[in-house]
Amino acid sequence: MIRRPPTIVCYICGREYGTKSISIHEPQCLKKWHNENNLLPKELRRPEPKKPEVRTITAKGFYDLDALNEAAWTSTQSQLVPCNICGRTFLPDSLIVHQRSCKPKAAK
Ligand SMILES: [Zn+2]
Ligand SMILES: [Zn+2]
């Protein structure tokens, strides 16, 4: 049996971190999130992501990482904003970069 070190998905940015580094990362990530959110145009700002309420310890005393990660993933997905030109969804900061190069299809 191969044991992968368990990783936890950050509910803010959706990246995976080790069980130890997530507790260091989360407050920093939230701070960064606020900085970025404040820079966004008003219509792209989002409410602060909420840490998903998941029972992380199973009956056997293990972390229920699958449930936790699924909830975190859903949380990051809910932050995505659709591009009003092509309809693809992006995180607001990527959307701004994307829209620089996203052009409506030229009418022929
Ligand atoms: Zn993060
Ligand atoms: Zn687009």
Side-chain angles (χ1 to χ4, degrees):
M1 185 176 144
I2 301 159
R3 276 210 181 176
R4 277 200 313 145
T7 55
I8 296 183
V9 175
C10 170
Y11 72 99
I12 306 155
C13 68
R15 295 190 191 99
E16 288 183 40
Y17 291 87
T19 47
K20 286 202 179 75
S21 44
I22 188 80
S23 56
I24 304 160
H25 166 78
E26 258 180 22
Q28 290 172 348
C29 192
L30 194 61
K31 214 171 148 194
K32 186 169 162 275
W33 182 92
H34 277 289
N35 289 341
E36 285 176 358
N37 202 47
N38 290 341
L39 294 173
L40 291 171
K42 230 195 222 161
E43 68 272 17
L44 291 182
R45 287 191 199 161
R46 303 145 292 163
E48 183 183 314
K50 289 274 171 285
K51 192 170 178 146
E53 295 282 334
V54 177
R55 275 189 52 192
T56 52
I57 310 285
T58 62
K60 285 175 184 166
F62 295 113
Y63 275 110
D64 190 355
L65 290 179
D66 287 342
L68 186 68
N69 287 342
E70 202 182 305
W73 174 247
T74 310
S75 162
T76 57
Q77 290 303 296
S78 69
Q79 294 198 55
L80 298 178
V81 183
C83 168
N84 56 13
I85 302 164
C86 68
R88 286 163 65 199
T89 51
F90 299 88
L91 286 172
D93 52 341
S94 336
L95 179 66
I96 290 171
V97 178
H98 163 80
Q99 284 191 330
R100 283 185 206 136
S101 56
C102 183
K103 302 234 163 44
K105 274 182 193 156
K108 277 179 190 167

